[in-house]
Amino acid sequence: MPANLSPDYLAAEREFKEARTPAERIAALEQMLATIPKHKGTEKLQADIKRRLSQARKDSQKKGVAHSTPFYLVEKEGAGQVVLAGPPNSGKSQLVCALTHAQPEVADYPFTTRLPTPGMMTFENVQIQLVDLPPISRDFSEMWLPQVIRYAHAGVLLVDLNDGDVLDEIEFIAGTLAGWRVPTPKLLVGNKLDLPGASENFSALEELYGNRFRCLAISAATGQNLDLFARTVFDVLELVRVYTKVPGKKADLSSPFVLHRGQTVIDAARQVHKDFAEHLKFARLFRVGSHRDGLMVERTHPVKDEDILEFHI
Ligand SMILES: Nc1nc2c(ncn2[C@@H]2O[C@H](COP(=O)(O)OP(=O)(O)OP(=O)(O)O)[C@@H](O)[C@H]2O)c(=O)[nH]1
Ligand SMILES: [Mg+2]
């Protein structure tokens, strides 16, 4: 080490060692380069800093713009991830509070939510992840929203049934999502059904948008239709629950295997065990409360929600 390094340089070097993010590392290296005494004795060290700086810049580029825009992707959990999109104040956070253990802030002023907040919603015997988001509005929308919405399995468009601008807001949000190349939500939910006039407004909305969206009216505040909301979200995700049983025993209906609509008996077997799928000859199909129980089905038979399968290998 050259002996004549300045206190400024040594401070910058300490910052480099303590840097946690790519941006901090780059800033510290730049400071080191600026403060290092420029003479023959430090030439090797200068070259070394320049090399590290160029590498750090390259690394940060590879991770996109992560050092300047925080990356808010929410790790997926449960059977599906569903984001709540909507204008300010429509009740997105209230809905997440009502259906999950998460507690995003609810307030009667717009732009309360600034960060995505996930929570797990229970539908019968499956868990679905709901993600509360900041609003989409003409005034302002967070830059990272498109990425987070695109990443999810599905989206719900949540509006306030008593909002005079609701039609304009639906059109604006649908247009914005299309501009972001994000799929438009299949489900349009009208909230605040408990308020006077909301039911009439919902009928009008359904008439206008019934062809474009599945429509549902709820009250996140009173809990009205929230069980139906959970079922509809499950349906929109196109999920299918399959139970398994061993011959002569009852099926365990509490812990389903979750598959996608269109998947078959062999896909179900594969979820249970890889070897099962390989050696499967056929399965017997049972339905809760059905008289024609134990029907033999082929490996390629598409599964339906709440099928009970008994595998034979
Ligand atoms: N009457 C009634 N009020 C509701 C209902 N749901 C939410 N609210 C109220 O509407 C206001 C906004 O609710 P939030 O959940 O904060 O709305 P948000 O969509 O998350 O708002 P932003 O975070 O700004 O996008 C609050 O005052 C809530 O108490 C409902 O079902 N009925
Ligand atoms: Mg909110």
Side-chain angles (χ1 to χ4, degrees), residues 10-303:
L10 294 172
E13 198 182 43
R14 247 192 327 275
E15 280 196 33
F16 175 71
K17 282 185 185 140
E18 285 165 15
R20 296 248 186 97
T21 66
E24 283 173 8
R25 251 189 303 281
I26 291 170
L29 284 165
E30 283 171 17
Q31 194 57 24
M32 282 160 69
L33 200 57
T35 51
I36 191 167
K38 309 287 188 303
H39 56 70
K40 202 134 185 77
T42 63
E43 262 174 13
K44 265 183 86 171
L45 195 50
Q46 286 183 56
D48 186 49
I49 296 168
K50 281 181 191 159
R51 188 182 48 74
R52 282 204 259 180
L53 187 54
S54 119
Q55 188 60 46
R57 284 185 178 136
K58 256 191 238 155
D59 287 351
S60 81
Q61 294 264 312
K62 260 188 254 159
K63 288 179 191 130
V65 284
H67 57 283
S68 54
T69 345
F71 202 61
Y72 289 106
L73 285 194
V74 177
E75 201 180 322
K76 285 175 178 151
E77 274 184 63
Q81 185 186 68
V82 179
V83 287
L84 299 183
N89 252 348
S90 61
K92 301 177 292 299
S93 302
Q94 176 85 58
L95 185 59
V96 168
C97 284
L99 285 169
T100 77
H101 293 302
Q103 294 193 311
E105 192 185 347
V106 173
D108 59 2
Y109 51 85
F111 300 101
T112 308
T113 304
R114 303 300 307 271
L115 293 171
T117 310
M120 297 307 282
M121 166 178 81
T122 304
F123 164 64
E124 296 183 349
N125 46 14
V126 285
Q127 299 281 307
I128 296 169
Q129 187 182 40
L130 291 185
V131 183
D132 183 22
L133 292 181
I136 298 174
S137 107
R138 282 187 203 284
D139 299 330
F140 173 75
S141 290
E142 303 284 351
M143 274 176 60
W144 44 265
L145 268 177
Q147 281 170 308
V148 174
I149 299 176
R150 199 177 293 121
Y151 183 70
H153 295 116
V156 170
L157 177 48
L158 188 81
V159 297
D160 176 349
L161 288 171
N162 309 280
D163 180 345
D165 294 329
V166 70
L167 300 184
D168 186 48
E169 276 164 345
I170 293 171
E171 289 306 330
F172 174 75
I173 290 174
T176 302
L177 294 176
W180 288 344
R181 306 209 181 289
V182 169
T184 312
K186 295 197 179 92
L187 180 59
L188 172 63
V189 176
N191 187 31
K192 311 196 188 180
L193 185 57
D194 54 291
L195 294 180
S199 177
E200 290 75 14
N201 292 346
F202 176 68
S203 301
L205 210 62
E206 203 174 21
E207 191 140 325
L208 267 172
Y209 286 105
N211 292 334
R212 251 166 93 183
F213 301 100
R214 278 176 75 161
C215 299
L216 180 68
I218 61 161
S219 168
T222 67
Q224 193 181 349
N225 282 351
L226 291 193
D227 46 355
L228 191 56
F229 173 84
R231 172 172 288 280
T232 311
V233 165
F234 176 77
D235 206 44
V236 162
L237 283 167
E238 306 196 341
L239 299 176
V240 172
R241 289 166 294 173
V242 171
Y243 311 106
T244 58
K245 74 185 277 308
V246 289
K249 294 235 169 94
K250 283 200 165 176
D252 174 8
L253 301 182
S254 65
S255 48
F257 291 92
V258 180
L259 286 89
H260 291 279
R261 215 175 280 159
Q263 288 193 293
T264 62
V265 166
I266 191 81
D267 296 317
R270 201 171 287 126
Q271 273 212 22
V272 178
H273 201 283
K274 182 162 83 355
D275 293 349
F276 244 55
E278 263 173 43
H279 300 117
L280 183 72
K281 291 207 185 73
F282 67 93
R284 287 194 187 281
L285 172 63
F286 297 77
R287 298 279 303 174
V288 182
S290 163
H291 296 300
R292 298 177 58 216
D293 261 359
L295 221 63
M296 216 166 116
V297 287
E298 304 267 350
R299 296 156 56 104
T300 54
H301 181 85
V303 287

